[in-house]
Amino acid sequence: MLSLRLTRGTHPLVLLRRLLVAAASAGVGFLLLCTLGWALGHPAGSYLRLLWCLVPLAATAQFAVAVARTDPSTRPRRGLSAVGLGPARLTMLAVASTAVATTLGSAVALLVFLHLRGDLTGMPLDGAAADLLSADRPLPLGAALTLLAAAPLLATVAAGLALRPRSATAVPDRSEGGTGTGAGTGAADAGGEKVRPPGAFARTSAPGGLPWGFALTAAGLAVETYASRNGDAGALPLPGRFDGGSAGVLAGWALTAVGLALAGPGITHLCGWLLQTLRPGAVRLLAGRMLMTEAGRIGRPLGVLCAVVSGAFAAASLYGPGDERPFGPLTGLGAGLVLGCTVATLLTAALEARQARATTTADLVRQGAPAAMLRTAAAVRTATLLAVFVPLTWAVASLAAVPLTV
Protein backbone atom coordinates (compact mmCIF):
# COMPACT_ATOMS: atom_id res chain seq x y z
CA MET A 1 0.00 0.00 0.00
CA LEU A 2 2.83 2.41 0.79
CA SER A 3 4.42 1.79 -2.61
CA LEU A 4 1.05 2.47 -4.27
CA ARG A 5 0.54 5.74 -2.38
CA LEU A 6 4.05 6.89 -3.27
CA THR A 7 3.33 6.07 -6.91
CA ARG A 8 0.12 8.13 -6.88
CA GLY A 9 2.02 11.16 -5.60
CA THR A 10 4.93 10.81 -8.00
CA HIS A 11 5.93 13.47 -10.51
CA PRO A 12 4.74 12.75 -14.08
CA LEU A 13 8.32 12.59 -15.39
CA VAL A 14 9.12 9.86 -12.86
CA LEU A 15 6.04 7.93 -13.96
CA LEU A 16 7.17 8.37 -17.58
CA ARG A 17 10.54 6.79 -16.76
CA ARG A 18 8.77 3.84 -15.12
CA LEU A 19 6.55 3.46 -18.19
CA LEU A 20 9.66 3.43 -20.36
CA VAL A 21 11.03 0.62 -18.21
CA ALA A 22 7.77 -1.28 -18.71
CA ALA A 23 7.98 -0.67 -22.47
CA ALA A 24 11.55 -1.96 -22.59
CA SER A 25 10.53 -5.04 -20.60
CA ALA A 26 7.63 -5.60 -23.02
CA GLY A 27 9.98 -5.34 -25.99
CA VAL A 28 12.53 -7.82 -24.67
CA GLY A 29 9.78 -10.18 -23.52
CA PHE A 30 8.21 -10.14 -26.98
CA LEU A 31 11.64 -10.77 -28.51
CA LEU A 32 12.16 -13.80 -26.27
CA LEU A 33 8.71 -15.16 -27.07
CA CYS A 34 9.33 -14.73 -30.80
CA THR A 35 12.55 -16.68 -30.39
CA LEU A 36 10.57 -19.41 -28.66
CA GLY A 37 7.97 -19.39 -31.44
CA TRP A 38 10.63 -19.76 -34.11
CA ALA A 39 12.32 -22.55 -32.15
CA LEU A 40 9.07 -24.57 -32.14
CA GLY A 41 9.24 -24.94 -35.91
CA HIS A 42 13.02 -24.64 -36.44
CA PRO A 43 14.88 -26.22 -33.50
CA ALA A 44 18.29 -26.20 -35.20
CA GLY A 45 20.39 -23.17 -34.31
CA SER A 46 17.75 -21.56 -32.12
CA TYR A 47 20.13 -21.25 -29.19
CA LEU A 48 22.14 -18.67 -31.13
CA ARG A 49 19.08 -16.48 -31.46
CA LEU A 50 18.44 -16.86 -27.74
CA LEU A 51 22.02 -15.76 -27.04
CA TRP A 52 21.45 -12.58 -29.03
CA CYS A 53 18.42 -11.85 -26.86
CA LEU A 54 20.73 -11.58 -23.86
CA VAL A 55 22.04 -8.26 -25.21
CA PRO A 56 18.69 -6.36 -25.09
CA LEU A 57 17.91 -8.18 -21.83
CA ALA A 58 21.06 -6.77 -20.23
CA ALA A 59 20.35 -3.29 -21.65
CA THR A 60 16.83 -3.37 -20.18
CA ALA A 61 18.13 -4.38 -16.76
CA GLN A 62 20.71 -1.60 -16.84
CA PHE A 63 18.03 0.95 -17.69
CA ALA A 64 15.77 -0.34 -14.92
CA VAL A 65 18.56 0.05 -12.37
CA ALA A 66 19.30 3.61 -13.56
CA VAL A 67 15.61 4.56 -13.18
CA ALA A 68 15.45 2.99 -9.72
CA ARG A 69 18.49 4.98 -8.60
CA THR A 70 16.85 8.29 -9.57
CA ASP A 71 13.46 7.53 -8.03
CA PRO A 72 12.78 10.51 -5.70
CA SER A 73 10.17 8.64 -3.67
CA THR A 74 12.86 6.30 -2.33
CA ARG A 75 15.40 8.98 -1.47
CA PRO A 76 16.30 9.17 2.25
CA ARG A 77 14.75 12.13 4.03
CA ARG A 78 14.80 13.33 7.62
CA GLY A 79 12.35 11.66 9.95
CA LEU A 80 11.63 8.61 7.79
CA SER A 81 13.86 6.30 9.83
CA ALA A 82 11.84 7.13 12.95
CA VAL A 83 8.70 5.71 11.33
CA GLY A 84 10.42 2.58 10.05
CA LEU A 85 11.42 3.84 6.59
CA GLY A 86 15.16 3.49 6.80
CA PRO A 87 17.54 2.83 3.89
CA ALA A 88 16.68 -0.88 3.78
CA ARG A 89 12.92 -0.25 3.59
CA LEU A 90 13.35 2.43 0.92
CA THR A 91 15.49 0.03 -1.09
CA MET A 92 12.71 -2.54 -0.90
CA LEU A 93 10.25 0.07 -2.21
CA ALA A 94 12.52 0.85 -5.17
CA VAL A 95 12.94 -2.85 -5.91
CA ALA A 96 9.18 -3.36 -5.69
CA SER A 97 8.56 -0.51 -8.14
CA THR A 98 11.06 -2.06 -10.56
CA ALA A 99 9.42 -5.46 -10.24
CA VAL A 100 5.94 -4.04 -10.87
CA ALA A 101 7.03 -2.06 -13.96
CA THR A 102 8.92 -4.93 -15.57
CA THR A 103 6.20 -7.48 -14.77
CA LEU A 104 3.61 -5.20 -16.37
CA GLY A 105 5.76 -5.04 -19.49
CA SER A 106 6.10 -8.81 -19.64
CA ALA A 107 2.33 -9.21 -19.33
CA VAL A 108 1.80 -6.82 -22.25
CA ALA A 109 4.36 -8.75 -24.30
CA LEU A 110 2.46 -12.01 -23.66
CA LEU A 111 -0.85 -10.48 -24.73
CA VAL A 112 0.62 -9.08 -27.95
CA PHE A 113 2.35 -12.37 -28.73
CA LEU A 114 -0.82 -14.40 -28.20
CA HIS A 115 -2.79 -11.95 -30.31
CA LEU A 116 -0.33 -12.22 -33.22
CA ARG A 117 -0.45 -16.01 -32.98
CA GLY A 118 -4.21 -15.94 -33.23
CA ASP A 119 -4.73 -17.54 -29.81
CA LEU A 120 -7.06 -14.77 -28.58
CA THR A 121 -9.27 -13.36 -31.34
CA GLY A 122 -8.26 -15.12 -34.52
CA MET A 123 -5.26 -14.67 -36.82
CA PRO A 124 -4.49 -10.95 -37.43
CA LEU A 125 -2.50 -9.38 -40.29
CA ASP A 126 -3.82 -12.03 -42.70
CA GLY A 127 -1.53 -14.63 -41.10
CA ALA A 128 1.69 -12.77 -41.94
CA ALA A 129 3.26 -13.70 -38.59
CA ALA A 130 2.05 -17.31 -38.56
CA ASP A 131 5.30 -18.85 -39.80
CA LEU A 132 7.53 -16.68 -37.60
CA LEU A 133 5.57 -17.46 -34.43
CA SER A 134 4.72 -21.11 -35.29
CA ALA A 135 1.00 -20.44 -34.91
CA ASP A 136 0.17 -23.99 -36.01
CA ARG A 137 1.98 -25.51 -33.03
CA PRO A 138 0.89 -25.48 -29.37
CA LEU A 139 2.74 -22.98 -27.20
CA PRO A 140 4.55 -24.52 -24.18
CA LEU A 141 3.20 -22.38 -21.37
CA GLY A 142 5.99 -23.23 -18.93
CA ALA A 143 8.73 -22.18 -21.36
CA ALA A 144 6.87 -18.98 -22.24
CA LEU A 145 6.43 -17.97 -18.59
CA THR A 146 10.06 -18.79 -17.84
CA LEU A 147 11.27 -16.53 -20.63
CA LEU A 148 8.87 -13.77 -19.59
CA ALA A 149 10.18 -13.92 -16.02
CA ALA A 150 13.76 -13.28 -17.18
CA ALA A 151 13.46 -9.49 -17.51
CA PRO A 152 11.60 -8.85 -14.20
CA LEU A 153 13.85 -11.21 -12.29
CA LEU A 154 17.11 -9.82 -13.68
CA ALA A 155 16.04 -6.19 -13.30
CA THR A 156 14.77 -6.72 -9.75
CA VAL A 157 17.90 -8.51 -8.58
CA ALA A 158 20.15 -5.93 -10.24
CA ALA A 159 18.23 -3.05 -8.65
CA GLY A 160 18.41 -4.71 -5.24
CA LEU A 161 22.17 -5.20 -5.53
CA ALA A 162 22.78 -1.67 -6.81
CA LEU A 163 20.63 0.03 -4.16
CA ARG A 164 21.47 -2.12 -1.16
CA PRO A 165 22.39 -0.06 1.91
CA ARG A 166 26.05 -0.04 2.81
CA SER A 167 27.37 0.46 6.30
CA ALA A 168 28.66 3.92 6.98
CA THR A 169 30.09 5.63 10.03
CA ALA A 170 27.69 8.14 11.50
CA VAL A 171 29.12 11.60 12.06
CA PRO A 172 27.52 14.77 13.39
CA ASP A 173 25.53 16.80 10.89
CA ARG A 174 27.02 20.27 11.23
CA SER A 175 25.24 21.65 8.20
CA GLU A 176 22.14 22.41 10.25
CA GLY A 177 23.53 22.22 13.75
CA GLY A 178 22.05 18.83 14.49
CA THR A 179 23.54 15.51 15.46
CA GLY A 180 21.76 13.30 12.94
CA THR A 181 23.32 11.49 10.06
CA GLY A 182 20.79 12.35 7.36
CA ALA A 183 23.01 14.83 5.47
CA GLY A 184 26.37 14.63 7.19
CA THR A 185 29.55 13.34 5.67
CA GLY A 186 29.53 9.55 5.80
CA ALA A 187 25.76 9.10 5.72
CA ALA A 188 24.63 6.67 3.05
CA ASP A 189 21.61 6.99 0.81
CA ALA A 190 19.51 4.14 -0.58
CA GLY A 191 21.98 3.57 -3.40
CA GLY A 192 24.96 3.29 -1.10
CA GLU A 193 26.33 6.71 -2.17
CA LYS A 194 27.78 8.81 0.61
CA VAL A 195 26.01 12.14 1.02
CA ARG A 196 28.51 14.99 1.20
CA PRO A 197 27.94 18.28 3.04
CA PRO A 198 26.71 21.26 1.02
CA GLY A 199 29.34 23.04 -1.05
CA ALA A 200 31.84 20.19 -0.98
CA PHE A 201 32.98 17.82 -3.69
CA ALA A 202 33.24 14.13 -2.96
CA ARG A 203 36.74 12.79 -2.45
CA THR A 204 37.90 11.23 -5.72
CA SER A 205 40.10 8.06 -5.51
CA ALA A 206 40.43 7.16 -9.07
CA PRO A 207 38.31 4.23 -10.41
CA GLY A 208 40.42 1.10 -10.64
CA GLY A 209 38.85 -0.67 -13.62
CA LEU A 210 40.82 1.03 -16.39
CA PRO A 211 43.55 -1.65 -16.90
CA TRP A 212 41.03 -4.49 -16.72
CA GLY A 213 38.74 -2.65 -19.11
CA PHE A 214 41.44 -2.22 -21.74
CA ALA A 215 42.51 -5.85 -21.29
CA LEU A 216 38.96 -7.17 -21.78
CA THR A 217 38.42 -4.91 -24.79
CA ALA A 218 41.57 -6.22 -26.44
CA ALA A 219 40.58 -9.79 -25.59
CA GLY A 220 37.12 -9.27 -27.11
CA LEU A 221 38.58 -7.95 -30.36
CA ALA A 222 40.94 -10.91 -30.47
CA VAL A 223 38.08 -13.38 -29.95
CA GLU A 224 36.10 -11.73 -32.75
CA THR A 225 39.09 -12.01 -35.08
CA TYR A 226 39.66 -15.67 -34.22
CA ALA A 227 35.97 -16.55 -34.58
CA SER A 228 35.65 -14.81 -37.94
CA ARG A 229 38.70 -16.57 -39.36
CA ASN A 230 37.56 -20.00 -38.21
CA GLY A 231 33.89 -19.69 -39.16
CA ASP A 232 31.55 -17.95 -41.56
CA ALA A 233 31.96 -14.24 -40.83
CA GLY A 234 29.14 -13.39 -43.21
CA ALA A 235 26.62 -15.51 -41.31
CA LEU A 236 26.39 -13.44 -38.17
CA PRO A 237 23.49 -15.07 -36.25
CA LEU A 238 21.23 -12.07 -35.78
CA PRO A 239 17.69 -12.64 -34.43
CA GLY A 240 16.02 -11.42 -37.64
CA ARG A 241 17.78 -13.94 -39.87
CA PHE A 242 17.31 -17.67 -39.87
CA ASP A 243 20.68 -19.11 -40.82
CA GLY A 244 23.40 -20.34 -38.51
CA GLY A 245 26.72 -18.79 -37.57
CA SER A 246 29.52 -18.77 -35.07
CA ALA A 247 28.74 -17.67 -31.52
CA GLY A 248 32.34 -16.50 -31.13
CA VAL A 249 31.47 -13.15 -32.70
CA LEU A 250 28.85 -12.55 -30.02
CA ALA A 251 31.24 -13.67 -27.28
CA GLY A 252 33.93 -11.31 -28.57
CA TRP A 253 31.53 -8.38 -28.75
CA ALA A 254 30.29 -9.14 -25.21
CA LEU A 255 33.87 -9.07 -23.89
CA THR A 256 34.46 -5.79 -25.69
CA ALA A 257 31.29 -4.30 -24.20
CA VAL A 258 32.22 -5.40 -20.68
CA GLY A 259 35.72 -4.01 -21.15
CA LEU A 260 34.47 -0.61 -22.29
CA ALA A 261 31.96 -0.52 -19.43
CA LEU A 262 34.76 -1.18 -16.94
CA ALA A 263 37.06 1.36 -18.57
CA GLY A 264 34.39 4.08 -18.85
CA PRO A 265 34.68 5.45 -15.28
CA GLY A 266 38.47 5.49 -15.49
CA ILE A 267 38.43 7.28 -18.85
CA THR A 268 35.95 9.85 -17.53
CA HIS A 269 38.08 10.40 -14.44
CA LEU A 270 41.14 10.83 -16.65
CA CYS A 271 39.29 13.43 -18.73
CA GLY A 272 38.56 15.42 -15.59
CA TRP A 273 42.21 15.19 -14.51
CA LEU A 274 43.44 16.37 -17.90
CA LEU A 275 41.12 19.38 -17.78
CA GLN A 276 42.83 20.54 -14.58
CA THR A 277 46.39 20.34 -15.89
CA LEU A 278 48.57 23.18 -17.22
CA ARG A 279 47.42 26.04 -14.98
CA PRO A 280 43.65 25.79 -15.35
CA GLY A 281 41.25 28.67 -14.90
CA ALA A 282 38.07 28.62 -12.86
CA VAL A 283 35.98 27.06 -15.64
CA ARG A 284 38.40 24.23 -16.42
CA LEU A 285 39.01 23.59 -12.73
CA LEU A 286 35.28 23.36 -11.99
CA ALA A 287 34.56 21.22 -15.06
CA GLY A 288 37.43 18.85 -14.35
CA ARG A 289 36.58 18.46 -10.69
CA MET A 290 32.95 17.66 -11.48
CA LEU A 291 33.98 15.10 -14.09
CA MET A 292 36.24 13.38 -11.58
CA THR A 293 33.46 13.38 -8.98
CA GLU A 294 30.82 12.04 -11.38
CA ALA A 295 33.06 9.50 -13.13
CA GLY A 296 31.46 6.58 -11.34
CA ARG A 297 27.93 7.63 -12.29
CA ILE A 298 28.27 8.57 -15.96
CA GLY A 299 31.43 6.68 -16.92
CA ARG A 300 29.93 3.21 -17.11
CA PRO A 301 26.87 4.23 -19.21
CA LEU A 302 29.25 6.10 -21.52
CA GLY A 303 31.37 2.98 -21.94
CA VAL A 304 28.31 0.85 -22.69
CA LEU A 305 27.07 3.39 -25.25
CA CYS A 306 30.52 3.36 -26.85
CA ALA A 307 30.30 -0.44 -27.16
CA VAL A 308 26.77 -0.36 -28.60
CA VAL A 309 27.54 2.31 -31.20
CA SER A 310 30.78 0.61 -32.22
CA GLY A 311 28.89 -2.67 -32.62
CA ALA A 312 26.28 -0.93 -34.77
CA PHE A 313 29.00 0.53 -37.00
CA ALA A 314 30.64 -2.87 -37.34
CA ALA A 315 27.30 -4.50 -38.28
CA ALA A 316 26.59 -1.71 -40.78
CA SER A 317 29.93 -2.36 -42.47
CA LEU A 318 29.18 -6.09 -42.62
CA TYR A 319 25.60 -5.68 -43.91
CA GLY A 320 25.55 -2.70 -46.22
CA PRO A 321 22.44 -1.04 -47.71
CA GLY A 322 22.64 -3.23 -50.84
CA ASP A 323 22.98 -6.49 -48.96
CA GLU A 324 20.63 -9.19 -50.16
CA ARG A 325 20.17 -10.53 -46.64
CA PRO A 326 18.11 -8.00 -44.66
CA PHE A 327 18.23 -7.81 -40.91
CA GLY A 328 14.56 -8.60 -40.42
CA PRO A 329 11.96 -7.11 -38.04
CA LEU A 330 13.22 -8.87 -34.93
CA THR A 331 16.75 -7.61 -35.50
CA GLY A 332 15.38 -4.10 -35.79
CA LEU A 333 13.42 -4.57 -32.56
CA GLY A 334 16.47 -5.89 -30.72
CA ALA A 335 18.76 -3.14 -32.03
CA GLY A 336 16.20 -0.47 -31.16
CA LEU A 337 15.86 -1.85 -27.63
CA VAL A 338 19.61 -1.93 -27.05
CA LEU A 339 20.26 1.54 -28.46
CA GLY A 340 17.20 3.10 -26.83
CA CYS A 341 17.86 1.61 -23.40
CA THR A 342 21.54 2.58 -23.56
CA VAL A 343 20.82 6.20 -24.48
CA ALA A 344 18.05 6.40 -21.87
CA THR A 345 20.39 4.98 -19.24
CA LEU A 346 23.01 7.60 -20.03
CA LEU A 347 20.45 10.41 -19.83
CA THR A 348 19.12 9.02 -16.54
CA ALA A 349 22.66 8.80 -15.14
CA ALA A 350 23.26 12.42 -16.18
CA LEU A 351 20.06 13.39 -14.36
CA GLU A 352 21.26 11.52 -11.27
CA ALA A 353 24.58 13.37 -11.42
CA ARG A 354 22.75 16.68 -11.73
CA GLN A 355 20.65 15.86 -8.69
CA ALA A 356 23.77 14.90 -6.74
CA ARG A 357 25.52 18.21 -7.43
CA ALA A 358 22.42 20.37 -6.92
CA THR A 359 23.54 21.44 -3.44
CA THR A 360 27.03 22.29 -4.64
CA THR A 361 25.66 24.30 -7.56
CA ALA A 362 23.31 26.21 -5.25
CA ASP A 363 26.19 27.04 -2.90
CA LEU A 364 28.32 28.29 -5.79
CA VAL A 365 25.50 30.56 -6.95
CA ARG A 366 25.01 31.88 -3.39
CA GLN A 367 28.71 32.66 -3.17
CA GLY A 368 28.55 34.78 -6.33
CA ALA A 369 29.50 32.36 -9.11
CA PRO A 370 28.01 33.62 -12.40
CA ALA A 371 25.42 31.37 -14.02
CA ALA A 372 27.28 31.77 -17.32
CA MET A 373 30.37 30.19 -15.77
CA LEU A 374 28.38 27.15 -14.66
CA ARG A 375 26.89 26.76 -18.15
CA THR A 376 30.33 27.11 -19.69
CA ALA A 377 31.73 24.46 -17.34
CA ALA A 378 28.91 22.09 -18.37
CA ALA A 379 29.67 22.73 -22.05
CA VAL A 380 33.38 22.08 -21.44
CA ARG A 381 32.56 18.78 -19.72
CA THR A 382 30.37 17.69 -22.62
CA ALA A 383 32.90 18.73 -25.26
CA THR A 384 35.71 16.90 -23.45
CA LEU A 385 33.74 13.67 -23.22
CA LEU A 386 32.80 13.87 -26.90
CA ALA A 387 36.40 14.57 -27.88
CA VAL A 388 37.55 11.41 -26.09
CA PHE A 389 34.71 8.92 -26.54
CA VAL A 390 33.89 9.63 -30.21
CA PRO A 391 37.39 8.70 -31.48
CA LEU A 392 37.45 5.73 -29.09
CA THR A 393 34.13 4.49 -30.51
CA TRP A 394 35.37 4.91 -34.07
CA ALA A 395 38.60 3.05 -33.29
CA VAL A 396 36.84 0.11 -31.65
CA ALA A 397 34.28 -0.06 -34.48
CA SER A 398 37.02 -0.07 -37.10
CA LEU A 399 38.98 -2.80 -35.35
CA ALA A 400 35.85 -4.90 -34.85
CA ALA A 401 34.79 -4.54 -38.50
CA VAL A 402 38.14 -5.51 -40.05
CA PRO A 403 37.97 -9.29 -39.38
CA LEU A 404 34.29 -9.44 -40.36
CA THR A 405 34.77 -7.83 -43.76
CA VAL A 406 37.96 -9.61 -44.85
Side-chain angles (χ1 to χ4, degrees):
M1 290 298 297
L2 178 59
S3 180
L4 180 60
R5 296 190 65 178
L6 289 175
T7 301
R8 290 177 56 189
T10 302
H11 193 275
L13 290 179
V14 179
L15 292 177
L16 177 61
R17 290 200 295 267
R18 293 177 181 172
L19 287 178
L20 289 177
V21 171
S25 177
V28 73
F30 181 76
L31 193 63
L32 288 168
L33 289 177
C34 288
T35 303
L36 174 63
W38 177 259
L40 293 177
H42 310 79
S46 297
Y47 74 96
L48 292 176
R49 319 174 76 79
L50 189 60
L51 287 178
W52 273 111
C53 294
L54 295 179
V55 179
L57 181 62
T60 300
Q62 183 192 27
F63 178 46
V65 171
V67 171
R69 289 176 62 92
T70 57
D71 194 339
S73 63
T74 58
R75 193 172 302 156
R77 291 181 291 270
R78 291 186 181 276
L80 291 181
S81 297
V83 295
L85 292 178
R89 184 71 181 275
L90 292 177
T91 299
M92 292 177 60
L93 291 177
V95 170
S97 299
T98 303
V100 169
T102 51
T103 303
L104 176 63
S106 295
V108 172
L110 179 60
L111 291 177
V112 173
F113 180 76
L114 293 178
H115 173 68
L116 293 178
R117 275 177 51 93
D119 295 336
L120 297 180
T121 58
M123 183 63 66
L125 304 177
D126 297 329
D131 183 58
L132 177 63
L133 305 181
S134 298
D136 57 337
R137 297 174 180 269
L139 180 68
L141 184 60
L145 294 180
T146 300
L147 290 177
L148 285 176
L153 182 61
L154 181 60
T156 302
V157 172
L161 292 177
L163 301 179
R164 69 188 187 278
R166 296 179 178 87
S167 59
T169 303
V171 295
D173 179 16
R174 296 185 176 91
S175 60
E176 297 183 8
T179 58
T181 60
T185 303
D189 63 5
E193 300 286 346
K194 289 188 176 181
V195 181
R196 57 184 181 271
F201 286 105
R203 180 177 298 176
T204 54
S205 52
L210 193 59
W212 283 105
F214 284 153
L216 286 178
T217 301
L221 294 174
V223 170
E224 288 186 43
T225 303
Y226 179 80
S228 62
R229 290 182 178 179
N230 291 272
D232 187 5
L236 194 63
L238 293 172
R241 298 181 59 236
F242 306 132
D243 51 356
S246 174
V249 175
L250 175 60
W253 183 86
L255 281 177
T256 303
V258 173
L260 290 174
L262 286 178
I267 296 175
T268 306
H269 190 276
L270 183 61
C271 291
W273 180 80
L274 290 176
L275 276 178
Q276 300 176 78
T277 58
L278 299 178
R279 303 177 65 179
V283 173
R284 281 203 295 140
L285 188 63
L286 180 61
R289 190 62 177 173
M290 284 188 173
L291 271 184
M292 294 175 67
T293 303
E294 299 168 358
R297 286 189 176 94
I298 65 175
R300 187 164 290 109
L302 275 173
V304 175
L305 181 61
C306 177
V308 170
V309 175
S310 62
F313 284 161
S317 64
L318 178 60
Y319 301 101
D323 202 310
E324 298 179 356
R325 297 162 299 181
F327 286 126
L330 296 186
T331 302
L333 174 61
L337 280 173
V338 173
L339 186 59
C341 288
T342 304
V343 174
T345 299
L346 178 59
L347 294 178
T348 306
L351 176 62
E352 181 189 6
R354 181 181 179 181
Q355 293 173 350
R357 66 172 181 269
T359 303
T360 301
T361 302
D363 285 350
L364 290 175
V365 172
R366 270 198 308 269
Q367 293 170 10
M373 185 185 73
L374 298 178
R375 290 193 295 267
T376 304
V380 169
R381 293 198 307 271
T382 303
T384 302
L385 292 176
L386 289 176
V388 172
F389 278 93
V390 169
L392 177 62
T393 302
W394 177 83
V396 174
S398 301
L399 292 175
V402 167
L404 299 177
T405 55
V406 174

